[in-house]
Amino acid sequence: MSDCGCGRSPIAIGGCPPSKPPCSPVARPPAACPGSKAGEHCETIPLRDSAPYRVAATASSTDPAPYYTMANTHAALDPVVAQTILNSGTGTFPADDGTHNGQHTWLAGVVRIDPTSLRGDPTSVTVSASVHVHNDGTNTACQLYGRFALWNGTTRIRTDLLGPPDLPAGGDDNGVIAPTTVPLADLLAGKIVVELNLETGNDDTCRVGPKQWTVDSFVLTVQASAPGCGRPFLRTTCRNCDGAVTCTTDTLDGSTPYTPVPPVVPVASCQDGCAPALPPCLSTDRGNALTRGSDGCLYAPDTPTLDPSPCNAARNTTGGLLVPRIALTGIAPGGNTSGERSVDIDVTGTPGCPERWQIGARLTPVSAFRNAERQHANLLTRAGTDVPIPESDIVLPEAGVYHIDSDVRYALGSATGGSGYIIGWLRDETTDTLLTSFTQIVAINAAGQEQQGGTTHLMTEYTVASGPRTVRLHLMFVLTGGKITNAEAGGTDSNGATRMRFLKVRD
């Protein structure tokens, strides 16, 4: 008997071994690489590549005077405001008060890292940063109106001139310092500085006047790399019965494909001390973004690569990925009374790309009520003529649809007998437009003495294209026979009053 291949086989007649039999079936691990076949032997081992990793970094406000390079006068931003901006908060570059013609206001921040977050023995790191600026006004910025730069000592090593040129009030821009390699020793020595300056005064060239800026979303990123101190991953290798490699695949977790950054080394040779003896319990909640590497370390997801388009609303911050959201604003209960609009839509926006909006709505119906505080108009002496009642005037303040109504107080009588009637109507005095048809207020047809008094109601709905509009009550007495001794209306007496009301019901 002799060994044939990976199994034992009898010698055939003539002493020639037969063809090798197939390998005994072997259960493949779940991580067997694509293309492997049943019977092949697959092995998965943990490795670590040399991909750049993020280093804990901050920026500390410092005196910007060493970085003044422009010919015009300068002003340093308040250091407390500067630190707020460098901490990824929001701060204001105030407009020049007229004492520094041509002024640019400056801030500077020293880049500092936590040395304990370094892995391996890197000799250099890459530094990058981004920031968002908004021209609060009141003037247009002049040409290229600022600078976002990176310094090593007294040498400027990366510059982003802020634009677009002549950014108007309300405009937005984003400064970006592309990843720049700096010596680790210089970074640890405090020589690496981020500088931002903006035109806040009346530029000597454009004479555009001072302007204020809102600055936010500052993000500082420091990355380092060292052989074997990058990301852990799994490599699965499958071999046939002869030991020849048939396929190899790299994954992060046994299923997610990954392309490692060379050089690649065994995890055991990475002496960065990150593997705890007892790995902490890891939540299995589907929303948990943390994963445990094959080396036992916990890893947060990599910082996503963002599209650099200025229209991309997502932004990296020190607290994570920030996506703007709509915030609605309201008013306090009971604060919905207004003499200006029926429905107030409050939209507060910051123009630019992306645009940020705050939208709110409040019901504030425009309305008014008026009593005609006067004596009745004597219609008898002006029989057959239009008698306007200016004491009834109401003013519709703006465009919209209004419900208008009027209570008309009247008195009509005859001492010896007679007939006649009083009519009334509403008119837009601003445009000389009839709002209602002629409406009978009261009528009398008496053979002898008769006296009437009371209140009649007029009502209409009126659409106004623009305001303000003045609406007035008009009255007229018409004699049809006999003798009328009393015809008056449109005022106030002991039993009631003439009133005018309006309520805006739609925009």
Side-chain angles (χ1 to χ4, degrees), residues 337-342 364-372 391-398 401-407 457 469-471 498-505:
T337 300
S338 170
E340 297 180 356
R341 294 193 59 81
S342 61
T364 55
V366 178
S367 62
F369 176 91
R370 184 174 188 180
N371 277 349
E391 292 81 5
S392 69
D393 286 0
I394 53 174
V395 178
L396 311 181
E398 62 188 19
V401 180
Y402 292 84
H403 176 83
I404 304 173
D405 63 84
S406 175
D407 293 329
H457 194 66
R469 300 284 185 85
T470 298
V471 176
T498 296
R499 300 181 177 90
M500 293 283 281
R501 295 175 290 267
F502 76 79
L503 174 67
K504 183 177 178 182
V505 294

mmCIF file of all heavy atoms in Angstrom, residues 337-342 364-372 391-398 401-407 457 469-471 498-505:
data_model
loop_
_atom_site.group_PDB
_atom_site.id
_atom_site.type_symbol
_atom_site.label_atom_id
_atom_site.label_comp_id
_atom_site.label_asym_id
_atom_site.label_seq_id
_atom_site.Cartn_x
_atom_site.Cartn_y
_atom_site.Cartn_z
ATOM 1 N N THR A 337 -52.947 87.461 17.935
ATOM 2 C CA THR A 337 -53.731 88.612 17.513
ATOM 3 C C THR A 337 -52.862 89.557 16.697
ATOM 4 O O THR A 337 -51.756 89.886 17.115
ATOM 5 C CB THR A 337 -54.302 89.347 18.735
ATOM 6 O OG1 THR A 337 -55.137 88.439 19.456
ATOM 7 C CG2 THR A 337 -55.121 90.554 18.302
ATOM 8 N N SER A 338 -53.346 89.974 15.555
ATOM 9 C CA SER A 338 -52.554 90.851 14.708
ATOM 10 C C SER A 338 -53.478 91.744 13.904
ATOM 11 O O SER A 338 -54.581 91.337 13.540
ATOM 12 C CB SER A 338 -51.660 90.035 13.770
ATOM 13 O OG SER A 338 -51.072 90.866 12.800
ATOM 14 N N GLY A 339 -53.035 92.952 13.631
ATOM 15 C CA GLY A 339 -53.799 93.840 12.770
ATOM 16 C C GLY A 339 -53.261 93.879 11.377
ATOM 17 O O GLY A 339 -53.565 94.798 10.619
ATOM 18 N N GLU A 340 -52.453 92.894 10.996
ATOM 19 C CA GLU A 340 -51.770 92.945 9.707
ATOM 20 C C GLU A 340 -52.146 91.805 8.772
ATOM 21 O O GLU A 340 -52.358 92.020 7.590
ATOM 22 C CB GLU A 340 -50.256 92.941 9.924
ATOM 23 C CG GLU A 340 -49.761 94.160 10.691
ATOM 24 C CD GLU A 340 -48.266 94.117 10.897
ATOM 25 O OE1 GLU A 340 -47.663 93.103 10.509
ATOM 26 O OE2 GLU A 340 -47.709 95.081 11.434
ATOM 27 N N ARG A 341 -52.238 90.556 9.291
ATOM 28 C CA ARG A 341 -52.494 89.430 8.395
ATOM 29 C C ARG A 341 -53.495 88.471 9.027
ATOM 30 O O ARG A 341 -53.661 88.430 10.247
ATOM 31 C CB ARG A 341 -51.203 88.672 8.082
ATOM 32 C CG ARG A 341 -50.196 89.479 7.287
ATOM 33 C CD ARG A 341 -49.099 88.581 6.744
ATOM 34 N NE ARG A 341 -49.634 87.541 5.882
ATOM 35 C CZ ARG A 341 -49.961 87.727 4.605
ATOM 36 N NH1 ARG A 341 -49.798 88.903 4.052
ATOM 37 N NH2 ARG A 341 -50.434 86.747 3.884
ATOM 38 N N SER A 342 -54.141 87.659 8.172
ATOM 39 C CA SER A 342 -55.031 86.630 8.698
ATOM 40 C C SER A 342 -54.264 85.366 9.024
ATOM 41 O O SER A 342 -54.543 84.691 9.997
ATOM 42 C CB SER A 342 -56.145 86.328 7.695
ATOM 43 O OG SER A 342 -55.597 85.858 6.481
ATOM 44 N N THR A 364 -53.745 84.741 12.590
ATOM 45 C CA THR A 364 -53.900 86.095 13.125
ATOM 46 C C THR A 364 -54.921 86.833 12.271
ATOM 47 O O THR A 364 -54.557 87.648 11.426
ATOM 48 C CB THR A 364 -52.555 86.852 13.121
ATOM 49 O OG1 THR A 364 -52.028 86.838 11.796
ATOM 50 C CG2 THR A 364 -51.554 86.195 14.044
ATOM 51 N N PRO A 365 -56.203 86.545 12.431
ATOM 52 C CA PRO A 365 -57.209 87.134 11.536
ATOM 53 C C PRO A 365 -57.299 88.641 11.718
ATOM 54 O O PRO A 365 -57.390 89.162 12.828
ATOM 55 C CB PRO A 365 -58.511 86.443 11.950
ATOM 56 C CG PRO A 365 -58.266 86.004 13.362
ATOM 57 C CD PRO A 365 -56.812 85.669 13.445
ATOM 58 N N VAL A 366 -57.291 89.357 10.575
ATOM 59 C CA VAL A 366 -57.479 90.799 10.590
ATOM 60 C C VAL A 366 -58.970 91.077 10.753
ATOM 61 O O VAL A 366 -59.801 90.538 10.020
ATOM 62 C CB VAL A 366 -56.952 91.416 9.273
ATOM 63 C CG1 VAL A 366 -57.197 92.917 9.264
ATOM 64 C CG2 VAL A 366 -55.483 91.103 9.119
ATOM 65 N N SER A 367 -59.330 91.924 11.710
ATOM 66 C CA SER A 367 -60.741 92.226 11.945
ATOM 67 C C SER A 367 -60.871 93.627 12.528
ATOM 68 O O SER A 367 -59.888 94.213 12.994
ATOM 69 C CB SER A 367 -61.369 91.202 12.901
ATOM 70 O OG SER A 367 -60.731 91.258 14.167
ATOM 71 N N ALA A 368 -62.104 94.144 12.519
ATOM 72 C CA ALA A 368 -62.367 95.453 13.113
ATOM 73 C C ALA A 368 -63.851 95.577 13.416
ATOM 74 O O ALA A 368 -64.695 94.910 12.800
ATOM 75 C CB ALA A 368 -61.911 96.580 12.188
ATOM 76 N N PHE A 369 -64.182 96.458 14.370
ATOM 77 C CA PHE A 369 -65.565 96.696 14.786
ATOM 78 C C PHE A 369 -65.691 98.187 15.078
ATOM 79 O O PHE A 369 -64.826 98.773 15.749
ATOM 80 C CB PHE A 369 -65.883 95.881 16.038
ATOM 81 C CG PHE A 369 -67.252 96.138 16.603
ATOM 82 C CD1 PHE A 369 -68.327 95.375 16.197
ATOM 83 C CD2 PHE A 369 -67.464 97.131 17.546
ATOM 84 C CE1 PHE A 369 -69.591 95.600 16.717
ATOM 85 C CE2 PHE A 369 -68.726 97.369 18.068
ATOM 86 C CZ PHE A 369 -69.793 96.599 17.653
ATOM 87 N N ARG A 370 -66.778 98.823 14.574
ATOM 88 C CA ARG A 370 -66.926 100.259 14.797
ATOM 89 C C ARG A 370 -68.388 100.629 14.994
ATOM 90 O O ARG A 370 -69.264 100.198 14.231
ATOM 91 C CB ARG A 370 -66.362 101.036 13.607
ATOM 92 C CG ARG A 370 -66.405 102.541 13.830
ATOM 93 C CD ARG A 370 -65.718 103.292 12.741
ATOM 94 N NE ARG A 370 -65.607 104.711 13.084
ATOM 95 C CZ ARG A 370 -65.041 105.614 12.303
ATOM 96 N NH1 ARG A 370 -64.543 105.241 11.120
ATOM 97 N NH2 ARG A 370 -64.979 106.877 12.677
ATOM 98 N N ASN A 371 -68.651 101.462 15.997
ATOM 99 C CA ASN A 371 -69.965 102.069 16.195
ATOM 100 C C ASN A 371 -69.965 103.458 15.565
ATOM 101 O O ASN A 371 -68.980 104.202 15.697
ATOM 102 C CB ASN A 371 -70.274 102.215 17.690
ATOM 103 C CG ASN A 371 -70.828 100.935 18.278
ATOM 104 O OD1 ASN A 371 -71.173 100.004 17.564
ATOM 105 N ND2 ASN A 371 -70.913 100.887 19.597
ATOM 106 N N ALA A 372 -71.051 103.790 14.905
ATOM 107 C CA ALA A 372 -71.199 105.149 14.363
ATOM 108 C C ALA A 372 -71.668 106.055 15.493
ATOM 109 O O ALA A 372 -72.871 106.250 15.713
ATOM 110 C CB ALA A 372 -72.171 105.156 13.197
ATOM 111 N N GLU A 391 -68.846 108.476 9.342
ATOM 112 C CA GLU A 391 -68.582 107.950 10.680
ATOM 113 C C GLU A 391 -68.618 106.421 10.725
ATOM 114 O O GLU A 391 -68.237 105.812 11.712
ATOM 115 C CB GLU A 391 -69.615 108.515 11.667
ATOM 116 C CG GLU A 391 -69.491 110.007 11.914
ATOM 117 C CD GLU A 391 -70.132 110.837 10.816
ATOM 118 O OE1 GLU A 391 -70.763 110.234 9.901
ATOM 119 O OE2 GLU A 391 -70.007 112.071 10.855
ATOM 120 N N SER A 392 -69.110 105.829 9.626
ATOM 121 C CA SER A 392 -69.153 104.355 9.565
ATOM 122 C C SER A 392 -67.908 103.746 8.919
ATOM 123 O O SER A 392 -67.815 102.523 8.792
ATOM 124 C CB SER A 392 -70.387 103.921 8.765
ATOM 125 O OG SER A 392 -70.230 104.257 7.383
ATOM 126 N N ASP A 393 -66.950 104.574 8.510
ATOM 127 C CA ASP A 393 -65.819 104.085 7.715
ATOM 128 C C ASP A 393 -65.048 102.971 8.435
ATOM 129 O O ASP A 393 -64.703 103.092 9.621
ATOM 130 C CB ASP A 393 -64.851 105.222 7.415
ATOM 131 C CG ASP A 393 -65.378 106.172 6.358
ATOM 132 O OD1 ASP A 393 -66.500 105.933 5.871
ATOM 133 O OD2 ASP A 393 -64.666 107.144 6.041
ATOM 134 N N ILE A 394 -64.758 101.908 7.704
ATOM 135 C CA ILE A 394 -63.823 100.874 8.146
ATOM 136 C C ILE A 394 -62.754 100.728 7.066
ATOM 137 O O ILE A 394 -63.026 100.951 5.886
ATOM 138 C CB ILE A 394 -64.514 99.509 8.401
ATOM 139 C CG1 ILE A 394 -65.322 99.076 7.169
ATOM 140 C CG2 ILE A 394 -65.376 99.561 9.649
ATOM 141 C CD1 ILE A 394 -65.908 97.699 7.292
ATOM 142 N N VAL A 395 -61.530 100.354 7.470
ATOM 143 C CA VAL A 395 -60.409 100.264 6.536
ATOM 144 C C VAL A 395 -59.938 98.813 6.453
ATOM 145 O O VAL A 395 -59.547 98.214 7.466
ATOM 146 C CB VAL A 395 -59.241 101.171 6.972
ATOM 147 C CG1 VAL A 395 -58.071 101.023 5.999
ATOM 148 C CG2 VAL A 395 -59.692 102.627 7.037
ATOM 149 N N LEU A 396 -60.003 98.250 5.245
ATOM 150 C CA LEU A 396 -59.472 96.898 4.993
ATOM 151 C C LEU A 396 -57.985 97.059 4.705
ATOM 152 O O LEU A 396 -57.610 97.668 3.704
ATOM 153 C CB LEU A 396 -60.183 96.254 3.804
ATOM 154 C CG LEU A 396 -61.725 96.321 3.837
ATOM 155 C CD1 LEU A 396 -62.302 95.620 2.620
ATOM 156 C CD2 LEU A 396 -62.265 95.723 5.118
ATOM 157 N N PRO A 397 -57.086 96.508 5.560
ATOM 158 C CA PRO A 397 -55.671 96.896 5.489
ATOM 159 C C PRO A 397 -54.865 96.258 4.367
ATOM 160 O O PRO A 397 -53.822 96.784 3.995
ATOM 161 C CB PRO A 397 -55.130 96.456 6.854
ATOM 162 C CG PRO A 397 -56.005 95.315 7.248
ATOM 163 C CD PRO A 397 -57.370 95.642 6.719
ATOM 164 N N GLU A 398 -55.318 95.124 3.809
ATOM 165 C CA GLU A 398 -54.461 94.403 2.872
ATOM 166 C C GLU A 398 -55.296 93.553 1.943
ATOM 167 O O GLU A 398 -56.512 93.441 2.085
ATOM 168 C CB GLU A 398 -53.484 93.509 3.648
ATOM 169 C CG GLU A 398 -54.191 92.451 4.469
ATOM 170 C CD GLU A 398 -53.261 91.679 5.385
ATOM 171 O OE1 GLU A 398 -52.163 92.184 5.657
ATOM 172 O OE2 GLU A 398 -53.637 90.588 5.823
ATOM 173 N N VAL A 401 -59.837 88.196 1.221
ATOM 174 C CA VAL A 401 -61.290 88.067 1.138
ATOM 175 C C VAL A 401 -61.860 88.410 2.512
ATOM 176 O O VAL A 401 -61.465 87.822 3.524
ATOM 177 C CB VAL A 401 -61.711 86.646 0.709
ATOM 178 C CG1 VAL A 401 -63.228 86.549 0.621
ATOM 179 C CG2 VAL A 401 -61.077 86.296 -0.642
ATOM 180 N N TYR A 402 -62.819 89.345 2.536
ATOM 181 C CA TYR A 402 -63.364 89.850 3.792
ATOM 182 C C TYR A 402 -64.865 89.579 3.890
ATOM 183 O O TYR A 402 -65.607 89.698 2.903
ATOM 184 C CB TYR A 402 -63.141 91.361 3.899
ATOM 185 C CG TYR A 402 -61.703 91.760 4.044
ATOM 186 C CD1 TYR A 402 -60.882 91.907 2.925
ATOM 187 C CD2 TYR A 402 -61.144 91.991 5.297
ATOM 188 C CE1 TYR A 402 -59.556 92.281 3.048
ATOM 189 C CE2 TYR A 402 -59.816 92.365 5.434
ATOM 190 C CZ TYR A 402 -59.027 92.507 4.300
ATOM 191 O OH TYR A 402 -57.709 92.875 4.435
ATOM 192 N N HIS A 403 -65.303 89.226 5.097
ATOM 193 C CA HIS A 403 -66.728 89.197 5.422
ATOM 194 C C HIS A 403 -67.049 90.544 6.071
ATOM 195 O O HIS A 403 -66.440 90.917 7.085
ATOM 196 C CB HIS A 403 -67.032 88.050 6.383
ATOM 197 C CG HIS A 403 -68.449 88.019 6.842
ATOM 198 N ND1 HIS A 403 -69.438 87.446 6.093
ATOM 199 C CD2 HIS A 403 -69.039 88.508 7.959
ATOM 200 C CE1 HIS A 403 -70.597 87.588 6.738
ATOM 201 N NE2 HIS A 403 -70.365 88.226 7.881
ATOM 202 N N ILE A 404 -68.005 91.307 5.477
ATOM 203 C CA ILE A 404 -68.353 92.643 5.949
ATOM 204 C C ILE A 404 -69.845 92.670 6.262
ATOM 205 O O ILE A 404 -70.673 92.187 5.467
ATOM 206 C CB ILE A 404 -68.029 93.713 4.885
ATOM 207 C CG1 ILE A 404 -66.555 93.641 4.476
ATOM 208 C CG2 ILE A 404 -68.377 95.114 5.403
ATOM 209 C CD1 ILE A 404 -66.213 94.541 3.308
ATOM 210 N N ASP A 405 -70.215 93.222 7.426
ATOM 211 C CA ASP A 405 -71.630 93.378 7.726
ATOM 212 C C ASP A 405 -71.857 94.671 8.498
ATOM 213 O O ASP A 405 -70.934 95.218 9.111
ATOM 214 C CB ASP A 405 -72.190 92.176 8.485
ATOM 215 C CG ASP A 405 -71.541 91.998 9.834
ATOM 216 O OD1 ASP A 405 -71.984 92.658 10.782
ATOM 217 O OD2 ASP A 405 -70.582 91.196 9.926
ATOM 218 N N SER A 406 -73.137 95.146 8.455
ATOM 219 C CA SER A 406 -73.477 96.418 9.069
ATOM 220 C C SER A 406 -74.871 96.335 9.670
ATOM 221 O O SER A 406 -75.791 95.772 9.057
ATOM 222 C CB SER A 406 -73.428 97.547 8.032
ATOM 223 O OG SER A 406 -73.872 98.761 8.589
ATOM 224 N N ASP A 407 -75.020 96.861 10.902
ATOM 225 C CA ASP A 407 -76.332 97.052 11.515
ATOM 226 C C ASP A 407 -76.705 98.524 11.318
ATOM 227 O O ASP A 407 -76.007 99.418 11.826
ATOM 228 C CB ASP A 407 -76.298 96.742 13.017
ATOM 229 C CG ASP A 407 -76.045 95.269 13.277
ATOM 230 O OD1 ASP A 407 -76.461 94.446 12.457
ATOM 231 O OD2 ASP A 407 -75.409 94.959 14.313
ATOM 232 N N HIS A 457 -80.065 94.765 8.835
ATOM 233 C CA HIS A 457 -78.718 94.188 8.675
ATOM 234 C C HIS A 457 -78.319 94.147 7.196
ATOM 235 O O HIS A 457 -79.086 93.683 6.344
ATOM 236 C CB HIS A 457 -78.707 92.769 9.246
ATOM 237 C CG HIS A 457 -77.345 92.208 9.445
ATOM 238 N ND1 HIS A 457 -76.458 92.719 10.365
ATOM 239 C CD2 HIS A 457 -76.718 91.169 8.851
ATOM 240 C CE1 HIS A 457 -75.349 92.017 10.330
ATOM 241 N NE2 HIS A 457 -75.483 91.069 9.409
ATOM 242 N N ARG A 469 -58.161 99.729 1.795
ATOM 243 C CA ARG A 469 -59.418 100.141 1.154
ATOM 244 C C ARG A 469 -60.373 100.666 2.234
ATOM 245 O O ARG A 469 -60.508 100.032 3.287
ATOM 246 C CB ARG A 469 -60.089 98.961 0.438
ATOM 247 C CG ARG A 469 -59.246 98.332 -0.673
ATOM 248 C CD ARG A 469 -59.246 99.189 -1.920
ATOM 249 N NE ARG A 469 -58.534 98.536 -3.001
ATOM 250 C CZ ARG A 469 -59.087 97.653 -3.829
ATOM 251 N NH1 ARG A 469 -60.358 97.341 -3.696
ATOM 252 N NH2 ARG A 469 -58.379 97.102 -4.788
ATOM 253 N N THR A 470 -61.050 101.767 1.954
ATOM 254 C CA THR A 470 -62.033 102.335 2.878
ATOM 255 C C THR A 470 -63.435 101.968 2.422
ATOM 256 O O THR A 470 -63.822 102.231 1.266
ATOM 257 C CB THR A 470 -61.902 103.866 2.947
ATOM 258 O OG1 THR A 470 -60.606 104.204 3.440
ATOM 259 C CG2 THR A 470 -62.962 104.456 3.872
ATOM 260 N N VAL A 471 -64.214 101.326 3.312
ATOM 261 C CA VAL A 471 -65.598 100.932 3.022
ATOM 262 C C VAL A 471 -66.520 101.822 3.856
ATOM 263 O O VAL A 471 -66.302 102.020 5.059
ATOM 264 C CB VAL A 471 -65.833 99.448 3.350
ATOM 265 C CG1 VAL A 471 -67.295 99.081 3.137
ATOM 266 C CG2 VAL A 471 -64.933 98.573 2.467
ATOM 267 N N THR A 498 -75.780 102.215 14.910
ATOM 268 C CA THR A 498 -75.312 101.730 13.615
ATOM 269 C C THR A 498 -73.883 101.219 13.797
ATOM 270 O O THR A 498 -73.024 101.930 14.346
ATOM 271 C CB THR A 498 -75.340 102.847 12.573
ATOM 272 O OG1 THR A 498 -76.698 103.262 12.377
ATOM 273 C CG2 THR A 498 -74.743 102.379 11.259
ATOM 274 N N ARG A 499 -73.627 99.976 13.353
ATOM 275 C CA ARG A 499 -72.319 99.343 13.561
ATOM 276 C C ARG A 499 -71.773 98.810 12.237
ATOM 277 O O ARG A 499 -72.539 98.392 11.369
ATOM 278 C CB ARG A 499 -72.411 98.185 14.564
ATOM 279 C CG ARG A 499 -72.902 98.592 15.944
ATOM 280 C CD ARG A 499 -72.928 97.379 16.866
ATOM 281 N NE ARG A 499 -73.328 97.732 18.212
ATOM 282 C CZ ARG A 499 -74.589 97.734 18.656
ATOM 283 N NH1 ARG A 499 -75.577 97.376 17.830
ATOM 284 N NH2 ARG A 499 -74.861 98.057 19.900
ATOM 285 N N MET A 500 -70.441 98.794 12.136
ATOM 286 C CA MET A 500 -69.751 98.211 10.976
ATOM 287 C C MET A 500 -68.729 97.205 11.479
ATOM 288 O O MET A 500 -67.994 97.481 12.449
ATOM 289 C CB MET A 500 -69.053 99.299 10.171
ATOM 290 C CG MET A 500 -69.998 100.266 9.489
ATOM 291 S SD MET A 500 -70.760 99.582 8.011
ATOM 292 C CE MET A 500 -69.428 99.761 6.839
ATOM 293 N N ARG A 501 -68.653 96.050 10.812
ATOM 294 C CA ARG A 501 -67.701 95.011 11.200
ATOM 295 C C ARG A 501 -67.072 94.403 9.945
ATOM 296 O O ARG A 501 -67.726 94.315 8.903
ATOM 297 C CB ARG A 501 -68.400 93.897 12.007
ATOM 298 C CG ARG A 501 -68.951 94.323 13.335
ATOM 299 C CD ARG A 501 -69.728 93.195 13.980
ATOM 300 N NE ARG A 501 -70.976 92.941 13.255
ATOM 301 C CZ ARG A 501 -72.149 93.497 13.563
ATOM 302 N NH1 ARG A 501 -72.236 94.358 14.576
ATOM 303 N NH2 ARG A 501 -73.239 93.216 12.873
ATOM 304 N N PHE A 502 -65.804 93.941 10.085
ATOM 305 C CA PHE A 502 -65.222 93.118 9.017
ATOM 306 C C PHE A 502 -64.313 92.061 9.627
ATOM 307 O O PHE A 502 -63.762 92.248 10.724
ATOM 308 C CB PHE A 502 -64.467 93.958 7.986
ATOM 309 C CG PHE A 502 -63.107 94.455 8.421
ATOM 310 C CD1 PHE A 502 -61.992 93.614 8.397
ATOM 311 C CD2 PHE A 502 -62.939 95.765 8.829
ATOM 312 C CE1 PHE A 502 -60.754 94.084 8.777
ATOM 313 C CE2 PHE A 502 -61.694 96.228 9.207
ATOM 314 C CZ PHE A 502 -60.608 95.396 9.189
ATOM 315 N N LEU A 503 -64.155 90.963 8.906
ATOM 316 C CA LEU A 503 -63.280 89.864 9.318
ATOM 317 C C LEU A 503 -62.648 89.273 8.064
ATOM 318 O O LEU A 503 -63.361 88.871 7.132
ATOM 319 C CB LEU A 503 -64.070 88.772 10.057
ATOM 320 C CG LEU A 503 -63.285 87.504 10.408
ATOM 321 C CD1 LEU A 503 -62.204 87.799 11.452
ATOM 322 C CD2 LEU A 503 -64.236 86.414 10.936
ATOM 323 N N LYS A 504 -61.344 89.237 8.016
ATOM 324 C CA LYS A 504 -60.666 88.618 6.870
ATOM 325 C C LYS A 504 -60.763 87.110 7.017
ATOM 326 O O LYS A 504 -60.386 86.549 8.050
ATOM 327 C CB LYS A 504 -59.203 89.045 6.807
ATOM 328 C CG LYS A 504 -58.481 88.500 5.598
ATOM 329 C CD LYS A 504 -57.055 89.016 5.534
ATOM 330 C CE LYS A 504 -56.309 88.430 4.354
ATOM 331 N NZ LYS A 504 -54.916 88.881 4.287
ATOM 332 N N VAL A 505 -61.260 86.431 5.961
ATOM 333 C CA VAL A 505 -61.477 84.989 6.036
ATOM 334 C C VAL A 505 -60.502 84.177 5.177
ATOM 335 O O VAL A 505 -60.313 82.995 5.398
ATOM 336 C CB VAL A 505 -62.937 84.631 5.639
ATOM 337 C CG1 VAL A 505 -63.902 85.193 6.672
ATOM 338 C CG2 VAL A 505 -63.276 85.180 4.240
#
